[in-house]
Amino acid sequence: MNTASSRAARPAGWRLHIARRTRQSLVALLAIAMALPPAMAQDNAPRISPRSRAPVTVNFVNADVEAVTRAFAAMIDRAIVIDPRVKGNITVYSEQPQSIRQAFASYLSALRGMGFAVVESGGLLKVVPEADAKLQTGTVSVGEVSVRGDQVITQIFPLRYENPNNLVAVLRPLISANNTINANPGSNSLVITDYAENLQRIAKIIAALDVASGTDVEVVQLQHAVAADLAPLVQRLSDGGGVSPVPGAQGVAGGGVTVVADSRANALVIRAANPSRLALVRANIARLDRPNNLIGPGGGMWVVHLKNADAVRLATVVRAAFGAAGGTSSGGSAPAPSGLPAAAAAGVPGTSPQATAAVTGAAQPSTGGFIQADPATNSLIITAPEPLYKQVRALIDQLDSRRAQVYIESMIVEVAPSDSADFGFQWQGLLGKSGDKFGVVTGTNFAGSGRPGIIDINTSAAQGQINLGQGLNVGLLSVINGVTSLAAIARMLQTQSETNIISTPNLITLDNEEAKIVVGENVPFITGQFTGAGGTGVNANPFQTIERKDVGITLRIRPQIGEGGAVRMTIFQEQSSVKETTAAGTTNAGPSTTKRSIENTVVVDDGAILVLGGLIEDRFVTNKSKVPLLGDLPLIGGLFRSESRERRRTNLMVFLRPVVLRDAESANRLSVDRYEQIRGEQRNSQPQPSVVMPINESPVLPPLAPLPASSAASAPPASLNPPATTSP
């Protein structure tokens, strides 16, 4: 039957009977609660002390939540405060008699269904909206959950083995929507605020998941195979996944199995998730640890593919190391390493001049000795008995490590403000009467850089060109015999200029490898010339010899990384430029250049800034032109002199900042940052859209695709040479 029609069919007297019965039940429970003696409090929170242990039957149907709360407060003998936002009718009833604790649990469940919760704060119970319960609860417990029911509390779960961040993803769907779960990696614990009944279930889940993740460490000593070669293969067989090196060791981890190669003891260190998995790994190792069948007259032959080192260089180093280990004698040859055949030992350093020669041809295999280098595959071919091979392989594994790189940023900062002032007075005059046969011309004429003299001005004016020069010019004209000319001129000029230049050449190079960057021009310089004396011979042909030199910014650095993180660098830095004009009086021998260079060796910490050197120059120049004696007169002397002053201050500093890139991830992060920086500059330099102009797009680098999580540390940076036609 429809609920609405059912309610409409009920008589009004029946509804009145229900309301009256509710009030009677409420009054009866209050009377019973007030008359019964108090009992002892229980351990579980909220701690309730029912006035009687006799069972009760509650029957609240659509009763006001505030009135029902007061009734239960009297039953448990504790004060309960109701939040003003808690409104509505609640239904709590039981068909059979039950204890007051069970009745109170039914009351909490009914509140939860209405979206309200009970919290305890400062010994006081409060009924609040469920969304605010996590902020107002004052009950905090650690370890086992002792509270029961639908009260909101905060529980702290200390973990012994599992990472708390891993459990957050598992437990979050089990937490109520308005409650929270947080991980604290510092104390390896979880902090959860939720209903007490739900926290008991979560406690069981955490206890089942917080177990030791693997067995104890097992060390398997190898008899025939090499640990560094066998570790990746055992790892692939154990978990079927890819191989990713463990930092600091040649091993891999994944799928519950960790395999690490110990080159010093030629052993495999294993940790598995359970004993059965460990037994399977040990069985695989036993099958693979077999003697090598490639044993010939000269011993075994092995091919070692290098990961980081250069095969030619490493072959020379290893041959020299084992030759030195065997010892040398004056005037004799060094003995062969233990177990090495005479044919193979013929090329060991100290036994043959051929082995001591440096290998220079990178395109050809190195020859001589029991270790050969193949540059094409960057591999080493070792011909030696198995015991000697294991010793050599242990040394190769230690030398074939990834070398750190250094990102070097050089900052050349030049700030050069200048201020100049020019003030002068020039005049010209003709003394004499009209008709005189002789006259006298007198005046001053002070010409200088950018300052034409009065005679030059009159001469150019006669040719139809007037150039008074820069600044404020005040002149006086005179007319003689119908010719207009400039009789006097006063000039005032002040010039201020500010130069601020920052150049930042930067580069990346391997540890202990020299790198060079040149940004500038290749300018020709005349180094010699010949002009014949005449005739038709060969010597009559003139010619010149020209040498081209780089002019601009040159940075050449060789870094060396220390154990403590400091970087020792041998630096050569040069900044040169072509002067705009050639010095006066010189022949046409080519352009003149300015040059500033620094060459030194410094030590600087990783990421720190070091000043290499600089120049601070403060120059003041005064130029004064005057008529002797007349220019020194107190008042009228200004009519007979011209003066200019110039002050220039030059501040030039060179700074250096090295950053050590020890792994592929840091190098890739730096490359992506510079890539995005240039890409942003290109996006900001797009031309304005035009209907008339057909070209409205400028090339922009393509966005970098995100690297997968498994290969982010080993994948090379994206190509920095995209197609020229790429557009945003």
Side-chain angles (χ1 to χ4, degrees):
M1 180 180 294
N2 186 278
T3 303
S5 61
S6 176
R7 291 179 179 177
R10 295 172 183 174
W14 186 85
R15 292 194 297 270
L16 179 62
H17 172 73
I18 292 296
R20 184 178 302 162
R21 184 179 177 183
T22 301
R23 289 196 298 270
Q24 290 175 355
S25 300
L26 176 61
V27 173
L29 288 175
L30 287 174
I32 294 173
M34 297 297 295
L36 294 176
M40 297 299 292
Q42 302 298 321
D43 294 334
N44 294 342
R47 293 181 297 275
I48 61 176
S49 300
R51 293 180 178 272
S52 174
R53 296 184 181 274
V56 296
T57 301
V58 293
N59 191 5
F60 299 102
V61 179
N62 289 331
D64 183 67
V65 65
E66 185 175 356
V68 176
T69 301
R70 288 199 303 268
F72 277 98
M75 293 170 60
I76 66 174
D77 195 20
R78 291 195 61 179
I80 303 178
V81 179
I82 300 180
D83 191 276
R85 293 170 292 179
V86 177
K87 301 290 183 181
N89 296 330
I90 187 172
T91 299
V92 183
Y93 67 93
S94 61
E95 299 293 343
Q96 301 294 333
Q98 58 182 354
S99 65
I100 294 179
R101 185 175 304 279
Q102 293 174 341
F104 187 74
S106 300
Y107 165 71
L108 295 179
S109 298
L111 285 177
R112 181 176 179 180
M114 297 176 62
F116 306 131
V118 175
V119 298
E120 184 177 6
S121 178
L124 184 65
L125 297 180
K126 297 188 293 184
V127 182
V128 297
E130 187 184 53
D132 292 346
K134 60 180 178 292
L135 303 177
Q136 300 191 30
T137 180
T139 303
V140 179
S141 59
V142 182
E144 183 181 357
V145 182
S146 58
V147 182
R148 297 183 182 276
D150 289 325
Q151 181 190 355
V152 176
I153 64 173
T154 298
Q155 186 75 23
I156 300 176
F157 296 94
L159 304 179
R160 298 180 58 188
Y161 306 104
E162 189 60 51
N163 189 335
N165 292 319
N166 296 338
L167 290 183
V168 168
V170 177
L171 299 177
R172 188 177 296 278
L174 306 178
I175 307 299
S176 303
N178 292 323
N179 295 320
T180 60
I181 176 173
N182 295 287
N184 183 16
S187 61
N188 199 46
S189 60
L190 291 172
V191 181
I192 306 177
T193 301
D194 201 0
Y195 291 97
E197 198 70 27
N198 192 32
L199 287 176
Q200 292 182 352
R201 180 182 63 148
I202 292 177
K204 296 179 182 179
I205 298 175
I206 293 177
L209 296 178
D210 187 25
V211 295
S213 60
T215 60
D216 294 335
V217 175
E218 290 284 340
V219 179
V220 180
Q221 188 72 37
L222 301 180
Q223 301 298 327
H224 306 285
V226 178
D229 293 339
L230 199 59
L233 181 58
V234 173
Q235 185 67 63
R236 288 194 181 98
L237 294 175
S238 300
D239 53 27
V243 180
S244 57
V246 172
Q250 294 186 12
V252 288
V257 177
T258 303
V259 182
V260 180
D262 184 4
S263 301
R264 296 172 298 177
N266 194 38
L268 294 180
V269 183
I270 308 170
R271 170 177 288 174
N274 49 64
S276 61
R277 197 71 178 270
L278 178 62
L280 178 61
V281 175
R282 293 180 65 93
N284 291 335
I285 294 175
R287 296 188 186 97
L288 296 174
D289 188 18
R290 302 288 183 177
N292 186 11
N293 296 326
L294 298 178
I295 302 296
M301 298 182 65
W302 287 267
V303 177
V304 180
H305 297 279
L306 301 181
K307 301 180 180 65
N308 301 286
D310 180 76
V312 176
R313 294 184 181 181
L314 189 58
T316 305
V317 172
V318 175
R319 284 198 299 261
F322 277 85
T328 57
S329 58
S330 176
S333 61
S338 176
L340 188 66
V348 177
T351 62
S352 173
Q354 182 183 8
T356 59
V359 180
T360 57
Q364 298 295 329
S366 63
T367 58
F370 68 104
I371 299 178
Q372 311 296 325
D374 181 17
T377 60
N378 197 39
S379 304
L380 295 178
I381 304 174
I382 303 175
T383 305
E386 186 172 346
L388 178 61
Y389 166 71
K390 292 182 178 180
Q391 299 178 16
V392 175
R393 184 58 188 271
L395 178 61
I396 292 174
D397 291 340
Q398 296 181 24
L399 295 177
D400 187 24
S401 59
R402 182 185 179 91
R403 296 170 62 184
Q405 301 181 96
V406 183
Y407 169 73
I408 304 163
E409 188 175 20
S410 175
M411 291 164 281
I412 306 170
V413 183
E414 181 177 359
V415 180
S418 63
D419 191 1
S420 61
D422 187 4
F423 178 79
F425 186 82
Q426 305 177 55
W427 55 276
Q428 294 289 328
L430 177 62
L431 301 179
K433 295 181 180 181
S434 178
D436 289 346
K437 186 177 181 180
F438 300 100
V440 178
V441 178
T442 184
T444 60
N445 183 58
F446 304 115
S449 177
R451 180 182 58 196
I454 190 173
I455 297 179
D456 298 332
I457 296 174
N458 286 326
T459 302
S460 60
Q463 299 174 357
Q465 300 176 357
I466 300 178
N467 181 17
L468 299 180
Q470 300 178 353
L472 177 62
N473 298 278
V474 180
L476 178 63
L477 299 177
S478 64
V479 180
I480 301 177
N481 296 328
V483 178
T484 303
S485 61
L486 186 63
I489 182 173
R491 177 183 293 106
M492 291 166 285
L493 174 64
Q494 183 177 6
T495 304
Q496 294 179 340
S497 63
E498 193 82 22
T499 303
N500 188 354
I501 302 174
I502 298 180
S503 302
T504 311
N506 53 79
L507 50 85
I508 296 180
T509 181
L510 280 174
D511 179 26
N512 208 26
E513 294 288 345
E514 182 177 306
K516 177 181 179 181
I517 183 173
V518 178
V519 180
E521 303 177 56
N522 193 259
V523 181
F525 292 87
I526 299 176
T527 58
Q529 57 183 355
F530 175 79
T531 302
T536 59
V538 177
N539 294 334
N541 297 326
F543 66 90
Q544 291 181 338
T545 58
I546 297 177
E547 179 182 2
R548 291 185 173 272
K549 295 184 178 180
D550 294 330
V551 176
I553 297 176
T554 303
L555 178 63
R556 188 170 65 245
I557 294 181
R558 180 189 294 273
Q560 184 177 3
I561 304 173
E563 290 294 334
V567 183
R568 182 180 183 271
M569 292 180 291
T570 302
I571 306 165
F572 173 78
Q573 191 275 327
E574 178 181 287
Q575 183 183 17
S576 58
S577 61
V578 179
K579 298 180 65 175
E580 296 181 358
T581 57
T582 307
T586 60
T587 60
N588 187 17
S592 299
T593 60
T594 61
K595 179 179 179 181
R596 298 164 179 169
S597 64
I598 295 177
E599 186 173 2
N600 59 354
T601 302
V602 297
V603 176
V604 58
D605 291 336
D606 179 17
I609 296 179
L610 179 68
V611 58
L612 298 181
L615 169 67
I616 299 179
E617 178 185 15
D618 197 349
R619 181 174 60 179
F620 180 81
V621 179
T622 300
N623 294 321
K624 184 182 293 186
S625 301
K626 64 179 180 179
V627 178
L629 299 179
L630 296 179
D632 297 328
L633 296 178
L635 296 178
I636 64 174
L639 301 176
F640 300 95
R641 65 173 179 263
S642 177
E643 184 176 356
S644 64
R645 298 178 181 178
E646 180 183 6
R647 181 173 183 177
R648 177 175 298 178
R649 182 178 178 86
T650 302
N651 297 278
L652 175 64
M653 289 293 169
V654 180
F655 300 90
L656 199 69
R657 178 176 176 265
V659 177
V660 179
L661 309 176
R662 300 189 180 274
D663 51 21
E665 182 179 359
S666 57
N668 183 58
R669 185 168 55 249
L670 175 65
S671 300
V672 170
D673 178 72
R674 296 298 184 265
Y675 187 93
E676 293 296 337
Q677 179 182 356
I678 294 299
R679 187 168 179 268
E681 293 290 339
Q682 289 183 329
R683 288 199 306 265
N684 296 333
S685 301
Q686 291 294 312
Q688 293 294 332
S690 175
V691 180
V692 180
M693 305 295 291
I695 302 176
N696 293 318
E697 293 182 352
S698 176
V700 177
L701 292 172
L704 292 176
L707 295 175
S710 60
S711 61
S714 59
S719 174
L720 298 181
N721 297 314
T725 58
T726 302
S727 60

